């Protein structure tokens, strides 16, 4: 059992402990079934599937799926003749988006200043300053006003967010002046501009077409 686990391409000590428990239980069932303790005989798709169906009836379905997955992974790595099908390629997990380059940011700011109307220009600068400077989620842009901004004694700009995720965010220094300018000009309104749209996509009505 130990050799099977050791040869199964472990990724951490914790996975070794977990797999040892799974293999121990599996081998105990194999002994009860009078199966020879040979890895090429035990770690086959048919034997593992029979074990899942008959040897783990006391476990929850989620636990049985976990054991099957572990035994299949072990079987693929420690056998040479067992007819294991190719492992499925898992879907890639969502990753953080690649940060904008300075050139990209400069291009967006330039496009914001070239909008067709003052309203669209204000919305563009507000979206960029709050998004790049404070990492706001889309719906949160609609809630911030000039009163949401504050400056600490050390000169750090803080943006207070209400709603379902209330929190205080430290604004990056590069974008703080732009937010303060918008706040000074429109202290009681959303920094990206007022809107009369009430549907869930109302932010989309303010998105400048060139951004």
């Amino acid at each position: 059992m130990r050799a099977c686990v050791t040869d199964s391409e472990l990724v951490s000590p914790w996975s070794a402990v977990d797999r040892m428990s799974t293999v121990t239980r599996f081998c105990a069932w194999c002994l009860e079934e009078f199966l020879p303790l040979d890895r090429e005989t035990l770690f086959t798709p048919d034997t593992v599937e029979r074990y899942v169906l008959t040897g783990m009836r006391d476990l929850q379905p989620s636990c049985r799926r976990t054991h099957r997955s572990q035994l299949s992974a072990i079987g693929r790595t420690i056998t040479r003749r067992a007819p294991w099908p190719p492992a499925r390629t898992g879907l890639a997990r969502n990753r953080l988006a690649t940060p904008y380059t300075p050139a990209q940011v400069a291009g967006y700011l330039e496009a914001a200043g070239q909008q067709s109307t003052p309203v669209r220009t204000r919305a563009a600068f507000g979206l960029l300053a709050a998004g790049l400077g404070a990492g706001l989620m889309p719906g949160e842009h609609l809630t911030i006003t000039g009163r949401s901004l504050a400056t600490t004694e050390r000169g750090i700009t803080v943006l207070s967010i209400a709603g379902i995720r209330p929190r205080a965010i430290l604004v990056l220094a590069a974008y703080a002046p732009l937010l303060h300018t918008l706040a000074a000009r429109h202290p009681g309104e959303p920094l990206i501009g007022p809107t009369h749209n009430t549907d869930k996509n109302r932010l989309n009505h303010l998105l400048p077409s060139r951004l």
Side-chain angles (χ1 to χ4, degrees):
M1 291 184 294
R2 183 176 299 174
C4 291
V5 173
T6 301
D7 295 342
S8 66
E9 298 182 0
L10 298 168
V11 296
S12 71
W14 301 113
S15 65
V17 173
D18 198 26
R19 287 189 174 187
M20 193 66 193
S21 174
T22 297
V23 171
T24 299
R25 184 184 177 107
F26 174 56
C27 289
W29 174 83
C30 291
L31 286 174
E32 293 176 355
E33 296 292 310
F34 301 102
L35 296 175
L37 295 183
D38 172 73
R39 63 175 65 183
E40 294 287 350
T41 302
L42 298 187
F43 288 91
T44 65
D46 289 342
T47 304
V48 169
E49 193 62 28
R50 185 153 64 93
Y51 169 63
V52 171
L53 295 176
T54 65
M56 293 190 290
R57 292 175 177 172
D58 58 320
L59 300 182
Q60 295 294 324
S62 59
C63 293
R64 293 202 294 269
R65 287 193 294 270
T66 299
H67 282 289
R68 174 196 279 149
S69 176
Q70 289 184 332
L71 291 172
S72 298
I74 294 170
R76 284 189 177 90
T77 56
I78 69 171
T79 61
R80 295 295 178 266
R81 301 187 302 273
W84 287 102
R88 295 179 179 178
T89 302
L91 296 176
R93 296 184 178 181
N94 292 331
R95 296 182 178 180
L96 293 176
T98 302
Y100 293 124
T101 65
Q104 288 175 317
V105 172
Y108 285 133
L109 291 172
E110 181 181 359
Q114 296 175 353
Q115 295 301 303
S116 58
T117 67
V119 172
R120 297 185 71 84
T121 298
R122 171 183 169 186
F125 279 127
L127 288 168
L128 289 172
L132 297 174
L136 295 194
M137 301 297 288
E140 294 173 335
H141 289 81
L142 296 166
T143 67
I144 58 171
T145 68
R147 298 187 179 91
S148 303
L149 287 175
T151 303
T152 69
E153 295 180 355
R154 302 179 64 178
I156 300 174
T157 298
V158 179
L159 184 61
S160 297
I161 304 298
I164 60 174
R165 296 180 59 206
R167 62 198 187 281
I169 302 174
L170 301 182
V171 178
L172 294 177
Y175 301 95
L178 183 52
L179 283 176
H180 281 293
T181 298
L182 292 172
R185 293 177 180 175
H186 316 283
E189 298 178 351
L191 295 187
I192 63 172
T195 175
H196 300 294
N197 299 295
T198 57
D199 60 271
K200 293 181 180 179
N201 294 320
R202 55 183 175 160
L203 181 62
N204 293 335
H205 296 284
L206 294 175
L207 288 172
S209 58
R210 294 184 59 186
L211 291 184

